[in-house]
Amino acid sequence: MTSDSRPPAGPHLEWTVVPSDIGPLLLAATDEGLVRVEFHAAPDRPGLIDPVAARLGLAPWRPAPGAEVRLAEPIRRLAAYFAGGLRRFELALDWRLSSGFNRQVLRELDRSVPYGAVVGYGDLAARVGQPGAAQAVGAAMGSNPLPIVVPCHRVVENGGGLGGFGGGLETKRALLALEGVLPQPLF
């Protein structure tokens, strides 16, 4: 793993850790687009990227801060999102870390549930032609390799509960509050 201002020759996985309002986020991109967003990343734990790089068959490369190439635009857009100025990411995405039903559900979520809205697990299952597959939708949300950008935080229980969230319920609440779905915490 190198940290350099120039990308290596050949196929590689560019990655970095950036601060956000909900804690540090690990971001990774291929030449196809953003491939991974991970919550609660720590700059001193670079081993988080190794399984992703191995699965994709790519060498990991961490550019020096500010020298990002593939991640420059995702970093800008995440900052704009947390500042309240971005409602849709519109980034190139590499979907290779998701497949089958999970990918179908995540793409439908990305396409049809806008900023400031929520959808129930069962409703999302029906949208992909699988009524009654609410639990499978929950599993798809848990496998989302691109949280925030593919907004799994917008999927809630049909009865009004928050449901689960890989980044933790406080993170889900914070994202929904940012989007105006829930009130901002008082303290």
Side-chain angles (χ1 to χ4, degrees), residues 108-135:
E108 178 62 25
L109 170 65
D110 185 46
R111 183 192 69 72
S112 69
V113 182
Y115 183 98
V118 293
V119 65
Y121 292 96
D123 295 333
L124 189 53
R127 288 184 188 187
V128 296
Q130 298 291 324
Q135 284 186 321

Side-chain angles (χ1 to χ4, degrees), residues 24 34 45 85 93:
L34 188 65
R45 290 181 51 214
L93 302 176

Side-chain angles (χ1 to χ4, degrees), residues 104-179:
Q104 179 186 11
V105 169
L106 292 170
R107 286 187 150 198
E108 178 62 25
L109 170 65
D110 185 46
R111 183 192 69 72
S112 69
V113 182
Y115 183 98
V118 293
V119 65
Y121 292 96
D123 295 333
L124 189 53
R127 288 184 188 187
V128 296
Q130 298 291 324
Q135 284 186 321
V137 167
M141 295 306 103
S143 75
N144 183 4
L146 297 161
I148 305 172
V149 176
V150 176
C152 54
H153 60 277
R154 296 180 190 155
V155 183
V156 297
E157 294 175 351
N158 283 10
L162 281 181
F165 193 62
L169 288 181
E170 287 306 311
T171 299
K172 186 171 188 171
R173 281 186 190 97
L175 293 169
L176 292 173
L178 172 69
E179 295 186 12

Side-chain angles (χ1 to χ4, degrees), residues 10-96:
H12 61 277
L13 179 70
E14 179 178 321
W15 72 280
T16 194
V17 175
V18 296
S20 80
D21 291 359
I22 56 170
L25 300 171
L26 179 138
L27 307 178
T30 68
D31 59 351
E32 293 181 33
L34 188 65
V35 70
R36 186 74 177 113
V37 176
E38 189 166 327
F39 296 110
H40 315 298
D44 60 340
R45 290 181 51 214
L48 294 174
I49 201 63
D50 293 338
V52 175
R55 184 166 171 195
L56 296 171
L58 299 171
W61 171 66
R62 185 177 190 180
E68 295 86 4
V69 178
R70 296 174 179 166
L71 290 171
E73 191 60 24
I75 290 168
R76 278 192 290 276
R77 291 187 186 213
L78 277 164
Y81 170 79
F82 283 111
L86 183 80
R87 294 179 174 260
R88 180 149 177 83
F89 283 93
E90 297 181 15
L91 291 166
L93 302 176
D94 181 336
W95 290 95
R96 286 184 283 173

